Amino acid sequence: PPGSPLGRGLSADAARDLGLLPGTAVGASLIDAHAGGVGAIGGRDGSGAEVDVCQRLAYIMGTSACIMATTVDPCFVPGVWGPYFEGMVPGFWL
């Protein structure tokens, strides 16, 4: 899942090449549109209250444009890619 730790962090060689310490944490990343979706769908609302990620939708614009939503159950829509399990939020369909 996104953000999960990978291995034991940076190897000695990678750390040296990057000017960092060996063992520096490394996490699974997201493609840019999915990272934007996490930022738009997750988190908290304007009052600081937690949000239900299944009640929000994100329209992500960049190299391409996509509409992203999360659901508990897969939702098949003709002509739309997906759904993808844990494609953006662990435990949910994208």
Side-chain angles (χ1 to χ4, degrees), residues 41 57-60 65-69 80-81 94:
I41 291 173
L57 179 122
Y59 191 27
I60 306 298
C66 56
I67 297 172
M68 303 180 122
V80 175
W81 292 350
L94 169 62

Side-chain angles (χ1 to χ4, degrees), residues 64-91:
S64 59
C66 56
I67 297 172
M68 303 180 122
T70 51
T71 60
V72 173
D73 298 309
C75 180
F76 294 90
V77 178
V80 175
W81 292 350
Y84 304 104
F85 187 63
E86 295 188 341
M88 187 169 66
V89 178

Side-chain angles (χ1 to χ4, degrees), residues 4-89:
S4 61
L6 299 176
R8 294 185 175 140
L10 289 178
S11 67
D13 288 342
R16 184 186 63 249
D17 291 348
L18 296 169
L20 299 169
L21 297 174
T24 298
V26 176
S29 64
L30 287 169
I31 192 167
D32 56 352
H34 292 189
V38 168
I41 291 173
R44 301 183 180 278
D45 68 13
S47 72
E50 290 186 14
V51 299
D52 179 349
V53 297
C54 291
Q55 296 296 314
R56 298 183 122 190
L57 179 122
Y59 191 27
I60 306 298
M61 304 291 285
T63 307
S64 59
C66 56
I67 297 172
M68 303 180 122
T70 51
T71 60
V72 173
D73 298 309
C75 180
F76 294 90
V77 178
V80 175
W81 292 350
Y84 304 104
F85 187 63
E86 295 188 341
M88 187 169 66
V89 178

